[in-house]
């Protein structure tokens, strides 16, 4: 699984490969993978062995979803996003004008449709909950607008690029006037 | 060892100091009684007590400051004495008097000692009379001419201060006579603008001030001794953060003079119990009386560690009418002790409070380490009271050993669920000026808080480890969520899972 | 403070002593390296280390006693020194020699010191030569006539012992000459029957023996001093359970004589590092050399607390070639310290081991309390190693204060998930003979274990509370189970619960 | 809820009345009820306030189902059984000879039938799992014998005294010889 870890202005691309038994091969920014033995019981913090060096560390998720991470004497504030989720959310970050076809970024199952045709939505408002690779992800509207089409129902299995729903921009923002 | 001085003592406090007092009680074979506000039922001090009574809603004014309720509990439980700790009602003369009227011993000095030492003007007058050095200055308003004459008398530098002042407004540092007239003018106009009153007075300016205090003990039989000094110059916004005993750059002569002054102060007010004389010491090693704290001090453990005297137990015995039990010649300084106050606050973000559940708590141990804690794993830190969760105190044969132990203990100390000032203390313990012992009360402002947020000791290696750990933890969370999410497919399966869970309960804690 | 004596030290041990050594390393600025067997990845000592290496399967013989693997790790990690702690390889002369050959400093005495002190006969001979008193007796077999002659020489009472003996077989206490011939006959026939060898020898019988030992320090420069005595007479099956320093009923004369003897013993073997001379002291205050332990002792903290010397750090400095750094006249006794060994065992059921996960762990704190722990909340106690999970050490100005603190600390100490010997220590701390300080090595057998199981301090009030708590806990468990069981009625509901759970994860620990 | 708490040879009858908010009124052996404030978080042990006296205590369930209870300096070993369960199990303890009609002691639902007709069972072997008042209870055979009749099926709702199944003693123990 690949993650993007953001610390201030620095962004690290981190690949986690689960070797089993609490051992992970971790690659940061395409460097040589590092083998990490990460031991943790529910009652305590992590003990990490990295190339035989021992670090105690902890990770706490804040209410805003960011992570407070302590390692040794250091404290960090990270944002972590996995690439799947990033892909699922990419509609919201890359295409921001005009009529929006919301497509499935990977195969999955529709858990919940949160809107109906005719409903007004705001940018970043959740419109569909989709389960992909055993994770539930809320897909958000990339723009302020109106739902003009819902192409799937709860329980549907969908393939990559399947159209999920369509959102039109509000009247006054449509590029070619009223349609 | 004599028998228990009382059979039962009510602790009118909470947090670590309540626990500290209850520890003393248990060692003295006294039953201890806790009070708890509505949010404190699960607090540590309740768990250390033999008895516990509710005292009201969360706000202190309705609970830990509620004199009527506290005296009602004392009567109900049959407590012979009340220990106020520090803060809350500890320096409230009315409370001490109400205790006396209710026939309950107040562990502390007489009400009029509290009263007079609580009034800065009276305290200053009494100390001057007892030949305890005070910061030369007036507290009454002066005309321009009087101010100039007085400033020349006490010598420069001086401070010109608004009598109605506060928060630095209407305050002027004057280094030479030539600046004086202009400064008085400015101070008056600032004071007028801020307080509607242009009255000013003049005070000697204490250069590179260090906050050094003397622990005193007095009893009802007229005995009074001191237990040497503590240095408390590491402060943030006039709040002590780190204390040590003995003081840095102390000489035997200065120690003797300050000790004598503190004992004179104690005798002047007929002091009973454990108290503290706070002084400012300037760069010339001249010292000036600041105030007397008529109660046990937060930082009393550093003195306990270098003198081997249990100050809290001694204070309780004194309140029961016993003598101190040892003389000035029986006490001496052994080694060096440092205390770091651990607060539930986020040093990285301007020390904002960090309430919450303490999910993981692993206090340090081993040689020379004492931890006076107010929390435990599972305790809740609320916003209602002082955010200090623990006092970490380390002892060494000398200062370097004490610092080495403090660094080691801070490294060991694991607290999760809330943010704490532990990383901040690590910064101080590695600071060259601290290591040299050459600092004054401006240390934190000038040496640490150059930037608004504290530059923690984040290093590159640990950043990389942190990045990898963040990714691993996220992966583990998502995997765990996914496996939970996929298991709710049929009622039948769920039923068997429930039976399985019930079976797993066997051998567990209820 | 001098600079770090080494840059890196490998700790060839586990549990609390490994943690203790790593604490010393951190205070000395030495990087510490841990070893862990397959079941110890999550052990506390790994979490205190800067580096950690696996050393083999759970059985000690394949891991913590695996010399080849340990030296391999030392080479791999570049450790300058190895500290063996106590137990495992601490008194293994071969290991010390292998370290020397591998160019790694062994923190402890020279191999031949370990070798000779490990052989009782050689140790006895060397001590006799150095004028250290030994229990008068032979170790070679005697004829009847020789035995009678020798017994008269050393005076009654004597012990007749089988040379092949052990476990009390072929052992006879003889109080008067008149019983001697008959006793020799019986001892011979018992020995013949048990060991196939009827050889016997005669030894002075030590009456009301107390186990008192002297802590010694020696360096490579010929310096040797002692740090006074510890009394370790509270034993169960020859295992120390409670130790104190100084010893009860000690006189300045006896202390001086025993100290001199211990220093003479240290000099006789050119002792380097921290070690201990164990003696038996009889009711006449005569003392006899028992053995020399050529390593740091479990109970070293009581000496650290009364002398303010850090024995482990000093031992490491000595191994680096430094001098002890202070002389006999620089050390003195201050106050009193008591250590209680906390074992993971069930005192109510004949001290059977109690492995498992430590689910709740709240060690005591406050003044005069030191806890050297090998576990933490969430740690697993396995059956593979010594069941000691912690050493609780309390200091007081005098013995009553130390006992008061120990009682208070035992009251505070919360350990759940496993059974511990904490309740047993409470029994001892309340026993009149212990309070008087009048006990010998027979104390536990005679005073506590009259019945097979330990009579804990169960009182009627607490029984009634326990009965009610048991019912409440059962009620709560059943109610919780029922509400879990009834919630799995439909897939839809479960799904929403899952989403809810995922949301709850926010703000939590990963 | 009423429980029977056994300590050595002493048996206490304990009634727990849930007042709410962690407060319980507890009656031991028909004495005056005692109000107990029992505070506990998952990470620690109980703090009990009884008539303002404070006790810390813990309860651990052993593998054999007995409870290890610590209060203050004392440690106890208890067996706790609730009266409902006791009633459900009473067939096993009161009637021990001859043909056994296993009856429901209270209304409930059959969760699982663990045996079939003709099957040999031992005394104390589980034969039926029944849910009553939201708790599952395993009903055990009171005797060594053979199942001769199963009167209920999984999922059945049953009333008090409904016959669940019948177990006959082994041939050589039947009072009147072969039937």
């Amino acid at each position: 699984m690949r993650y993007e870890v953001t610390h201030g202005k620095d962004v690290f691309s981190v690949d986690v490969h689960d070797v089993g038994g609490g051992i992970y091969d971790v690659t940061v920014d395409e460097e040589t993978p590092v083998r990490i033995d990460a031991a943790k019981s529910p009652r305590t913090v992590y003990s990490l062995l990295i190339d035989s060096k021992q670090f105690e560390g902890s990770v706490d998720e804040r209410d805003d979803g960011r992570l407070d991470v302590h390692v040794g004497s250091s404290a960090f504030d990270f944002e972590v996003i996995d690439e799947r989720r990033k892909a699922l959310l990419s509609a919201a970050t890359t295409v921001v004008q005009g009529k929006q076809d919301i497509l499935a970024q990977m195969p999955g199952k529709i858990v919940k449709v949160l809107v109906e045709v005719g409903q007004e939505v705001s940018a970043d408002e959740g419109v569909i909950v989709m389960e992909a690779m055993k994770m539930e992800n809320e897909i958000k509207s990339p723009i302020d607008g109106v739902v003009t089409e819902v192409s799937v129902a709860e329980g549907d299995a969908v393939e990559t690029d399947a159209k999920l729903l369509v959102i039109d921009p509000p009247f006054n923002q449509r590029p070619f006037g009223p349609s | 060892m004599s028998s228990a001085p009382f059979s039962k003592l009510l602790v009118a406090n909470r947090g670590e100091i309540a626990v500290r007092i209850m520890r003393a009680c248990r060692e003295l074979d006294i039953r201890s009684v806790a009070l708890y506000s509505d949010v404190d039922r699960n607090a540590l001090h309740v768990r250390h007590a033999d008895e516990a009574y509710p005292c009201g809603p969360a706000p202190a004014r309705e609970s830990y400051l509620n004199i009527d309720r506290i005296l009602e509990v004392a009567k109900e439980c049959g407590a012979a004495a009340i220990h106020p700790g520090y803060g809350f009602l500890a320096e409230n003369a009315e409370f001490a008097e109400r205790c006396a009227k209710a026939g309950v011993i107040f562990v502390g000095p007489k009400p009029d000692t509290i009263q007079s030492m609580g009034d800065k003007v009276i305290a200053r007058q009494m100390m001057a009379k007892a030949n305890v050095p005070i910061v030369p200055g007036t507290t009454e308003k002066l005309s321009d001419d009087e101010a100039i004459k007085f400033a020349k008398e006490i010598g420069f530098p001086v401070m010109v201060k608004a009598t109605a002042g506060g928060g630095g407004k209407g305050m002027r540092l004057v280094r030479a006579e030539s600046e004086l007239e202009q400064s008085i003018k400015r101070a008056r106009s600032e004071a007028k603008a801020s307080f509607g009153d242009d009255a000013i007075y003049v005070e000697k300016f204490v250069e590179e001030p260090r906050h050094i205090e003397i622990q005193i003990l007095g009893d009802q039989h007229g005995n009074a001794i001191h237990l040497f000094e503590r240095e408390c110059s590491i402060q943030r916004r006039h709040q002590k953060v780190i204390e040590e005993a003995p003081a840095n750059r102390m000489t035997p002569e200065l120690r003797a003079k300050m000790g004598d002054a503190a004992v004179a102060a104690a005798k002047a007010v007929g002091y009973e119990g454990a108290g503290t004389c706070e002084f400012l010491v300037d760069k010339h090693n001249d010292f000036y009386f600041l105030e007397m704290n008529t109660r046990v001090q937060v930082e009393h453990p550093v003195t306990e560690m270098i003198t081997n005297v249990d100050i809290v137990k001694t204070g309780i015995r004194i309140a029961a009418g016993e003598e101190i039990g040892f003389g000035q010649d029986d006490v001496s300084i052994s080694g060096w002790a440092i205390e770091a106050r651990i607060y539930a606050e986020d040093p990285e973000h301007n020390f904002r409070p960090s309430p919450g559940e303490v999910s993981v708590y692993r206090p340090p141990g081993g040689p020379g380490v004492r931890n006076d804690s107010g929390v435990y794993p599972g305790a809740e830190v609320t916003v209602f009271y002082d955010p200090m969760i623990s006092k970490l105190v380390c002892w060494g044969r000398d200062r370097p050993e004490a610092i080495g132990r403090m660094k080691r203990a801070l490294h060991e100390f694991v607290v999760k669920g809330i943010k704490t000032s532990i990383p901040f203390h690590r910064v101080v313990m590695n600071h060259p000026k601290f290591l040299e012992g050459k600092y004054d009360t401006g240390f934190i402002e000038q040496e640490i808080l150059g930037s608004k947020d504290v530059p923690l000791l984040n290093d590159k290696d640990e950043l990389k480890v942190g990045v990898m750990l963040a990714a691993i933890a996220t992966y583990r969370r998502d995997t765990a969520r996914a496996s939970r999410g996929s298991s709710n497919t049929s009622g039948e399966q769920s039923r068997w899972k429930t039976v399985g869970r019930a079976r797993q309960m066997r051998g567990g804690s209820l």
Side-chain angles (χ1 to χ4, degrees), chain A, chain B:
Chain A
M1 180 66 61
R2 189 176 284 272
Y3 297 92
E4 214 178 77
V5 180
T6 307
H7 177 246
K9 285 172 187 161
D10 298 324
V11 180
F12 302 88
S13 170
V14 187
D15 188 73
V16 176
H17 174 67
D18 189 344
V19 180
I23 315 273
Y24 305 89
D25 284 338
V26 182
T27 312
V28 179
D29 290 340
E30 311 301 336
E31 290 172 10
T32 319
V34 177
R35 176 152 291 195
I36 300 186
D37 175 348
K40 183 181 186 309
S41 87
R43 289 192 172 85
T44 192
V45 298
Y46 283 94
S47 162
L48 304 174
L49 286 179
I50 306 176
D51 196 17
S52 295
K53 306 221 167 13
Q54 202 275 145
F55 298 88
E56 280 203 306
S58 67
V59 181
D60 287 281
E61 187 169 8
R62 301 198 318 219
D63 289 336
D64 64 4
R66 297 177 67 89
L67 301 186
D68 281 327
V69 176
H70 279 81
V71 174
S73 324
S74 304
F76 307 103
D77 176 356
F78 292 135
E79 185 167 6
V80 180
I81 193 160
D82 69 70
E83 299 230 327
R84 245 181 16 226
R85 195 180 291 258
K86 198 182 155 197
L88 281 159
L89 297 178
S90 63
T93 51
T94 54
V95 189
V96 290
Q97 283 206 319
K99 181 176 128 175
Q100 303 291 321
D101 284 358
I102 311 295
L103 309 181
Q105 300 297 315
M106 57 180 62
K109 200 175 134 191
I110 304 305
V111 175
K112 192 135 189 78
V113 177
L114 302 168
V115 293
E116 47 192 303
V117 171
Q119 186 173 332
E120 285 189 28
V121 294
S122 315
D124 268 326
E125 188 179 324
V127 289
I128 275 184
V129 180
M130 178 174 158
E131 188 186 71
M133 291 178 74
K134 294 193 173 171
M135 285 189 45
E136 286 185 5
N137 292 283
E138 198 175 64
I139 296 167
K140 293 172 174 169
S141 172
I143 54 168
D144 291 345
V146 175
V147 177
T148 53
E149 189 185 318
V150 174
S151 320
V152 290
E154 294 180 18
D156 284 3
V158 294
E159 291 306 308
T160 305
D161 286 338
K163 196 203 278 181
L164 307 178
L165 44 72
V166 179
I167 299 173
D168 271 17
F171 186 84
N172 60 355
Q173 283 177 32
R174 286 178 197 163
F176 308 106
S179 65
Chain B
M1 198 166 62
S2 52
S3 59
F6 316 115
S7 60
K8 197 182 278 188
L9 184 147
L10 172 67
V11 181
N13 215 305
R14 64 177 305 286
E16 71 83 19
I17 192 63
V19 172
R20 171 68 187 91
I21 295 162
M22 289 169 189
R23 282 175 166 146
C25 287
R26 198 168 296 279
E27 292 179 20
L28 289 169
D29 257 325
I30 299 171
R31 275 184 78 81
S32 62
V33 182
L35 297 172
Y36 61 94
S37 74
D38 291 352
V39 293
D40 268 351
R41 171 66 185 88
N42 251 318
L44 184 61
H45 73 284
V46 175
R47 290 173 177 266
H48 275 262
D50 291 310
E51 301 179 21
Y53 294 80
C55 63
R61 153 182 44 83
E62 300 174 52
S63 48
Y64 298 107
L65 291 171
N66 184 342
I67 295 180
D68 290 339
R69 173 61 187 150
I70 292 169
L71 290 175
E72 190 181 296
V73 171
K75 196 175 171 187
E76 189 183 339
C77 73
I82 295 183
H83 200 307
Y86 54 72
F88 294 131
L89 296 168
E91 289 174 290
N92 184 318
E94 184 205 338
F95 180 60
E97 217 151 299
R98 293 276 305 274
C99 287
K101 274 189 197 140
V104 184
I105 294 170
F106 174 85
V107 180
K110 296 184 294 285
D112 62 338
T113 306
I114 301 174
Q115 181 84 53
S116 49
M117 292 299 103
D119 182 314
K120 292 220 172 187
V121 176
I122 297 177
R124 208 177 141 89
Q125 287 166 351
M126 290 182 76
M127 289 307 123
K129 218 170 160 183
N131 292 320
V132 176
I134 54 177
V135 179
T138 65
T139 43
E140 298 119 58
K141 57 183 176 179
L142 302 175
S143 69
D144 284 15
D145 286 351
E146 285 169 339
I148 291 166
K149 189 180 157 228
F150 185 73
K152 283 195 218 162
E153 226 175 273
I154 59 174
F156 292 86
V158 300
M159 289 296 280
V160 178
K161 290 183 175 179
T163 54
K169 291 270 166 59
M171 202 183 272
R172 275 278 175 295
L173 168 60
V174 186
R175 296 207 171 269
E177 196 186 332
S178 57
E179 308 164 10
L180 187 57
E181 246 187 273
Q182 192 60 24
S183 294
I184 292 173
K185 207 167 278 175
R186 290 221 182 111
R188 283 201 198 278
S189 82
E190 249 182 65
K192 182 81 186 171
S194 299
F195 316 112
D197 178 0
D198 71 352
I200 55 110
Y201 67 97
V202 172
E203 203 178 75
K204 177 90 186 161
F205 174 68
V206 179
E207 293 173 282
E208 295 176 22
R210 289 181 289 147
H211 179 118
I212 297 181
E213 60 190 27
I214 305 282
Q215 174 71 50
I216 53 172
L217 291 173
D219 65 26
Q220 298 170 24
H221 310 275
N223 302 306
I225 65 168
H226 69 84
L227 298 179
F228 312 104
E229 81 280 2
R230 296 185 283 260
E231 175 154 19
C232 315
S233 305
I234 309 274
Q235 304 182 352
R236 198 179 71 85
R237 297 188 182 172
H238 302 287
Q239 274 281 35
K240 297 167 189 166
V241 176
I242 292 170
E243 299 99 341
E244 25 187 342
N248 293 287
R249 296 180 281 170
M250 178 56 81
T251 63
E253 296 71 37
L254 179 58
R255 175 174 293 135
K257 273 201 280 180
M258 291 181 73
D260 288 348
V263 170
K267 290 197 165 160
V269 298
Y271 199 86
E272 294 173 12
T276 299
C277 277
E278 296 194 333
F279 296 100
L280 280 185
V281 178
D282 69 14
K283 67 176 182 184
H284 312 292
N285 267 0
D286 287 324
F287 66 97
Y288 307 100
F289 174 83
L290 211 54
E291 60 175 328
M292 186 189 281
N293 292 314
T294 55
R295 50 162 168 91
V296 69
Q297 207 86 336
V298 175
E299 57 270 25
H300 74 274
V302 291
T303 300
E304 292 188 327
M305 285 187 108
I306 63 158
T307 62
N308 290 333
V309 172
D310 188 315
I311 292 170
V312 177
K313 285 201 287 196
T314 307
I316 292 173
R317 286 181 192 282
I318 288 170
E322 294 185 25
E323 294 199 54
I324 296 170
F326 46 87
Q328 193 65 59
D329 294 343
D330 298 322
V331 288
S332 59
I333 296 177
S334 161
W336 202 285
I338 302 176
E339 171 179 284
R341 300 188 185 190
I342 314 294
Y343 289 102
E345 59 187 23
D346 184 354
E348 277 185 293
H349 295 97
N350 204 23
F351 298 91
R352 67 181 174 202
S354 178
E357 194 204 357
V358 178
S359 55
V360 176
Y361 189 72
R362 206 170 82 208
V369 174
R370 167 177 171 182
N371 192 39
D372 275 33
S373 181
V375 300
Y376 62 95
E380 190 79 21
V381 178
T382 71
V383 296
F384 293 102
Y385 313 112
D386 187 279
M388 193 176 72
I389 59 165
S390 168
K391 297 181 322 202
L392 177 57
V393 198
C394 293
W395 180 94
R397 272 170 90 88
D398 50 27
R399 190 166 186 265
E401 186 175 58
I403 293 174
R405 284 200 170 134
M406 181 59 84
K407 285 163 79 166
R408 189 265 289 170
L410 289 168
H411 179 89
E412 280 180 25
F413 210 150
V414 178
V415 185
K416 292 299 152 204
I418 58 171
K419 295 268 189 172
T420 73
S421 51
I422 291 171
F424 174 81
H425 288 297
R426 289 189 180 130
V427 174
V428 177
M429 291 300 142
N430 283 287
H431 195 286
K433 289 232 167 134
F434 180 79
L435 296 178
E436 275 176 68
K438 283 190 186 156
Y439 57 79
D440 57 44
T441 54
F443 175 78
I444 288 185
E445 296 296 328
Q446 289 151 27
E447 303 288 338
I448 310 272
L449 300 180
S451 66
K452 202 191 83 188
D453 293 342
V454 179
L456 297 183
L457 297 170
N458 293 349
D459 74 34
K460 271 198 171 174
D461 277 4
E462 291 181 345
L463 171 61
K464 191 163 175 195
V465 173
V467 165
M468 297 191 288
L469 173 57
I472 290 173
T474 305
Y475 169 80
R476 287 163 62 116
R477 178 200 59 190
D478 292 346
T479 314
R481 276 189 194 168
S483 72
R484 269 204 308 275
S486 65
S487 67
N488 280 279
T489 46
S490 85
E492 187 59 22
Q493 188 181 345
S494 296
R495 186 193 308 278
W496 287 113
K497 277 182 72 80
T498 306
V499 172
R501 264 206 294 261
R503 291 229 174 96
Q504 280 167 14
M505 288 284 295
R506 282 287 157 93
S509 191
L510 307 191

